[in-house]
Amino acid sequence: MKKNFVIIEGDGIGPEVTRQSVRVLRSIAERFGHEFEFTYCLMGADAIDKTGNPLPDETIEACLNCDAVLLGAIGHPKYDNDPSAKIRPEQGLLKLRKSLQLFANIRPINTYPSQHHLSPLKSKNLEEVDFIIFRELTGGIYFGKKELNEEGTRASDECVYSKEEIERVAELAFQYAQKPGRRKKLTLVDKANVLETSRLWRKTIKETAQRYPDVSVDYMFVDNAAMQIILNPKQFDVLLTENMFGDILSDEASVLSGSLGLLPSASVGKGSILFEPIHGSYPQAAGKDIANPLGSVLSAAMMLEYLGMNEEASQIREGVNWTLHNGFVTKDLDPVNFYFTSTIGELISDYVIGKIPGSVKKEYIELRKSTII
Ligand code: IPM
Ligand code: MN
């Protein structure tokens, strides 16, 4: 198969984790006889530094004309700490989501038994956790009118949703709930006791549900959902929610897996597809080769799956499981006995070409372990 991927490494740890995914993708191409081309584009703080624009037009153009986009991370503390900054790295990501019409962001949440000890939750509450968050991505308060009065003393962010915007993401979530292996349950998370937009969400979901009679639907207020994700995460199958609630709940849900660094995501919509780990740019770790590349590598696996390369995606996931199971993990998962970002990428790469477990010697891997012990 011939595919053209746009790679946006972005900021902070983005470049170093994405490099591992590209390495794994090259191994997949080699093993399965595919031809993968990679076009590198700028976005975020990196793009502001180089061009003055967080999302140059060439990046949009390339993304519109490729098979899929793989993104690292966006954000830099020099902007976070400057509320008056007019140009911000995140504007690049939000504009890209809008330009590519990526209205659904899909974030699978599962746990790995070998990492249960890292979660603040008890193991018994983590077994069988397997749910997926469908977050609306191009509407709501993120994209509403923003105002600040001249004196700088009053600000507002408008939250707007249309029925059509709700319907199109809901359709995808319902279809997902029907897939083999799912439990055919959809939970809409909203704040319908307070917000008009949430009442529109509820009304629209009730209508959509009639077209999916085999899917059972329940409704939960977002404050309660935040609590239920910690108290009883097993109860969720497909969780559907609006943009901001989805942003917050997916970071919360990541603690179930033990690290934010483990979770991938897919953004889809009217044609273009984009994949990115759910973690941010983690500037404190940038350039140190200690960040967890698995969120990005698993995003690459989701990307191949979306393009119909199921066996290739499974091969990557097997490689990831192999590293976790054998204790080859980065600092976020084991702060004392950890391996470098690049070592994990290399191991998964070797795994997918079939070099592991046979020819890779454990002592050889040991050499690339951190030296702090
Ligand atoms: C995410 C991020 C982004 C968001 C930021 C970087 C704008 O937190 O993808 O979850 O809020 O959507
Ligand atoms: Mn977020």
Side-chain angles (χ1 to χ4, degrees), residues 97 107 135 142 246-248 250-251 278:
R97 288 174 178 166
R107 299 185 164 183
R135 165 188 174 193
Y142 270 63
D247 178 45
I248 298 169
S250 54
D251 268 33
I278 84 159

Side-chain angles (χ1 to χ4, degrees), residues 74-75 90-91 93-94 97 105 107 135 137 142 243 246-247 250-251 265 276-280:
I74 295 298
E90 290 79 6
Q91 290 162 345
L93 179 57
L94 299 180
R97 288 174 178 166
N105 180 234
R107 299 185 164 183
R135 165 188 174 193
L137 201 60
Y142 270 63
N243 203 346
D247 178 45
S250 54
D251 268 33
S265 85
E276 58 173 317
I278 84 159
H279 62 68

